[in-house]
Structure formats: C-alpha cells, structure tokens
Amino acid sequence: MISCLIVDDEPYARQELADLLLQAGDLQIVGQCSNALEAMQAISKHKPDLVFLDIQMPRISGMELIAMLDPETMPRVVFVTAYDEFAVRAFDNHAFDYLLKPLDEKRLRQTLEKVRKDLRPKSLDVLMPQYLEHLPCFSANRLKIIAVKDVEYVFSDLSGIHVATAKEKVHTELTLKVLEEKTPLLRCHRQYLVAPSAIAEIEILETGAEVTTHSGAKVPVSRRFLKPLKQAFGFQ
C-alpha cells in the first residue's frame, strides 16, 4: 500500500481528492490536514510515501512547508493548485507531479501510475525558499506560528526540539539541522542554536563560554563552536 497525506485548507477539495484516491485500491490515506502546522506533525508521525499538497494556503504556503522538511526523508510531493502558473513552475522545477483544480480523474490516474513506477523522491531545491520566516510550533494542545525574528535560541533534549523566545518556550517538529540551514540561527553547542540578534553578552569560561540573551536567558557555548561564534561578531 502507498501511504499518502492530503494537505489543503479547503475541506471540500480534501474530501473530493480522498474519494478519488480510495478508488485506486492501493492507497492508504493516513491523514488530512487543513494547514502547514497540522501537516508538519502528520508527516513527522506517519512518514507518508506521498503528499498531495495545496500550494496556496494561509500563513504558511505549500512551498514554505516543503522547505521545512528534512531533504533526507522527503516524501514524494504532488502539488495541487487552482493556479496554472504555479503548477507549471512546480512541474518545470522537478516536483514529482502536479494536479490542477478542479481535479481530472484521468490526470490523477496518470500521477498515481508515476508514483507506482518511481518511488525515488525528487529534488525540490529550486522551489524551496532559501530561509524560513515562520516556524510551526505547538504548546500542549495549541498550535502556534513563531516568527523567526522573535526566536532567541533553540535547543534539543530527550523530549524533543524546543523554541525559546523572550516570552515563552514552545515545541517544534523541525530538526536542528533544518533550523540551522534555513534560519539565521547559529550553532553554539551540539544541542543549541542561538540567534545572533538575541546575544547581549558572551562570557568566556574555562570549558567554553556562555551566551546571555537580551531577555536574560543563559545559553551554553561549547569550545568547538566558540571560535566561529566569535568570528560572526568580528572577534578573533
């Protein structure tokens, strides 16, 4: 069975696609999501083979969602769009495939046949934004969107990845690797990233250093990452 996820902010569009996919017989729909925040959690949880992704969604677009995913575990992505110019751009830049709304059953069957024949994920590097502007986060049962400019630092522990602002700490499904590559956050420790704009002071210690943020938070800096951190501010 091919596991798939449907991501679209329009409930009728999700249901229409789900009804058509169920007729294929060899697809298992592991979830339906109405926005990128839900989709991030569903992709992390279910690790689907295939994602049908609407391009135009509020707050975080389908293109931005793709940029948040780890390329090493990227599922096959079929863009679903009502806008032809987006579809052509996606196809020309090596998206696995695209579908135009309203959906055409024959075109969908062609897409599914491509999926069956080729299980290798496609590179979407050309489509991805170079940097993220917002991070999908959650706290208890509340989903949140945190602006990258508001992040002071990020750290990992046994319970997951945590995003700290001057006001709160929340959780995210994004990996430290993706955050390091797609945001201005700098690696300062194996388990920590820090925002250069949030650094008020760097105190040199025998074992490394410690950053104090503008809100007063303390962030550890290991010897391995001290020199590049200092160089980022023009110190040798």
Side-chain angles (χ1 to χ4, degrees):
M1 296 287 283
I2 300 171
S3 60
C4 65
L5 181 72
I6 300 172
V7 185
D8 197 310
D9 62 311
E10 301 175 9
Y12 292 112
R14 293 198 304 271
Q15 191 56 52
E16 178 190 12
L17 179 54
D19 291 342
L20 292 173
L21 293 176
L22 289 175
Q23 297 175 21
D26 60 347
L27 270 79
Q28 176 188 14
I29 300 174
V30 295
Q32 297 187 32
C33 304
S34 61
N35 56 59
L37 292 170
E38 294 177 359
M40 278 293 301
Q41 291 184 311
I43 291 171
S44 177
K45 177 181 179 180
H46 298 292
K47 297 177 173 54
D49 299 312
L50 178 64
V51 175
F52 290 92
L53 179 61
D54 187 18
I55 292 179
Q56 292 292 92
M57 293 189 296
R59 300 297 296 274
I60 298 178
S61 70
M63 298 291 191
E64 291 175 307
L65 171 60
I66 290 300
M68 296 175 181
L69 300 178
D70 188 336
E72 294 182 3
T73 57
M74 178 80 70
R76 298 158 199 79
V77 175
V78 174
F79 286 121
V80 182
T81 179
Y83 302 94
D84 184 66
E85 65 269 25
F86 284 113
V88 171
R89 180 183 171 209
F91 184 71
D92 287 346
N93 287 296
H94 312 297
F96 189 85
D97 206 349
Y98 71 92
L99 297 170
L100 290 177
K101 297 178 181 179
L103 295 177
D104 178 80
E105 292 188 38
K106 181 179 179 181
R107 182 71 178 82
L108 176 59
R109 287 196 296 270
Q110 292 174 347
T111 294
L112 296 180
E113 191 57 34
K114 286 179 64 177
V115 173
R116 296 182 183 104
K117 290 181 178 179
D118 185 2
L119 298 180
R120 293 171 299 177
K122 302 297 182 180
S123 172
L124 297 176
D125 290 347
V126 181
L127 288 173
M128 297 180 188
Q130 186 176 2
Y131 293 108
L132 303 177
E133 295 182 1
H134 300 90
L135 305 182
C137 300
F138 61 95
S139 178
N141 62 344
R142 300 186 66 180
L143 300 178
K144 296 191 172 190
I145 297 176
I146 303 295
V148 171
K149 63 180 180 61
D150 294 332
V151 176
E152 286 201 334
Y153 63 97
V154 176
F155 67 98
S156 67
D157 60 20
L158 292 177
S159 62
I161 309 296
H162 311 278
V163 176
T165 69
K167 298 179 179 179
E168 62 181 339
K169 289 181 183 177
V170 293
H171 314 284
T172 184
E173 298 286 352
L174 299 177
T175 65
L176 288 182
K177 178 182 177 182
V178 168
L179 289 166
E180 185 177 11
E181 293 176 351
K182 294 289 184 177
T183 73
L185 297 171
L186 296 178
R187 177 78 65 168
C188 61
H189 186 278
R190 184 172 58 87
Q191 295 175 268
Y192 283 79
L193 303 175
V194 66
S197 60
I199 296 176
E201 180 181 283
I202 302 176
E203 181 181 1
I204 307 301
L205 306 173
E206 291 184 4
T207 57
E210 185 177 71
V211 160
T212 300
T213 70
H214 289 295
S215 71
K218 303 294 185 179
V219 179
V221 180
S222 62
R223 286 187 177 276
R224 176 184 175 188
F225 298 105
L226 177 56
K227 184 176 180 179
L229 185 64
K230 289 167 60 179
Q231 289 175 339
F233 289 91
F235 296 106
Q236 297 302 316

